[in-house]
Amino acid sequence: MKIMTDPPAPRSRLLKLLDWSDRDKCLLLSVLLWGYMFFICVWHQVTVHLTEFGRNYVSSQGTAMLNSVVLINLLGWALLLAWGGWLRHGNRHSRIYPNVFLSFFSVGFVLLGWVFGLYSPMTGMVLMGSPLVGFILFGFTRVAWNFAFTVCVVLLLAWLSVSGYVEHAIYFARDPVSKQHLSYYWIASTVAFMVPFITSVITLVALLLGRWVHREKQIRDQALHDPLTGLSNRRELFAQLAHELARGRRSGQSLTLCVMDLDHFKRINDSHGHGVGDQVLVQVSEILRACLRETDLIGRIGGEEFVLALPETGAAGAATVLERCRETIASSPVPLESGDFLTVTASFGAVLWLPGHPANHALTDTQLLSRADEALYLAKGAGRNRVMFWSQEEEGAAAFP
């Protein structure tokens, strides 16, 4: 299994949103928020000039106030877009820019909430949804200060409105949602305000959480697999091997453990460079995958050293499989940039584990590996490029087949 370094076939840079710079995150959100404010501006003009709701429910003071708030927001987001675009064009970054963005967001939406009413669903949605996205995008500390400031201002305005110092929901001449008067136009408008915001929040959170899940999988894979070949590393291999030994003891099935070492690998690195050495390791790992079953275990535990575990496989079957691996490696030269080909060979040392045999039933994975290492040492001493099995009867190694 190869380790994936990026999400499979990403369709958009949004899938990598967590990796964007703060500047680019602010630019994206500025575009969305400018569009959202423009939508409110259009709604406001249509409502005031073309609807019965505007004539019956909207106050002249509220009209003037919302005109000012919308204008402030549109100009503010446009300036932030221009600033961010200038930074991006020059490939520059600024610590001030994200802070100004967050502060302006807080001020702009507090003003909007004060005009429409601090107790409206839209205000509550912004207060709950915005920090969630902000914490994920910009970190906790920076967003927490702005969120705390916003909450304090909202509480202060709420107290002032309850005490009669400021007017609550200045936009309305009368309450559009009450027992006496229920405006379906306002209910529909509230839903229209909330749907884009909620959709954006859910989309961003889903993308960010998806990216987090992918990163967690990457970290887990990196902890358990060799980053070059994608094979199991020593930790993962021995965990899998312990599981197979326990299963073999219960079922009585044999297992063959093999240590494989590439011949003269140091000479390859010295003569052709470590890049070619890495190419050799990758090709050999792909050959091993192709030659073995999905149920077999493959791991890289050293520079050029691999461990193979073949569950439910006796000596004859294992000898056939390992010989096939050896022949395939030897007959698959590695292409070089010069146009030449590099022939690679490997030596195999294997040990057969029989769970019912009194001599090795209680052997641990480390002891089995030690016996396979002994067989590998003898294979190299016998001329390399061969398969040798550790023989329990003779307390040594024997060549197979």
Side-chain angles (χ1 to χ4, degrees), residues 65-77:
M65 183 61 68
L66 187 57
N67 284 335
S68 301
V69 170
V70 168
L71 180 61
I72 290 171
N73 274 276
L74 288 175
L75 287 176
W77 294 123

Side-chain angles (χ1 to χ4, degrees), residues 1 3-4 215-227 230-239 300:
M1 184 183 72
I3 296 177
M4 298 175 61
R215 283 185 169 183
E216 183 181 354
K217 182 179 181 300
Q218 278 186 314
I219 293 171
R220 186 168 58 251
D221 285 344
Q222 290 169 1
L224 300 177
H225 295 89
D226 171 48
L231 300 177
S232 298
N233 60 16
R234 177 183 289 270
R235 175 184 177 185
E236 173 68 0
L237 178 73
F238 276 86
R300 180 185 174 205

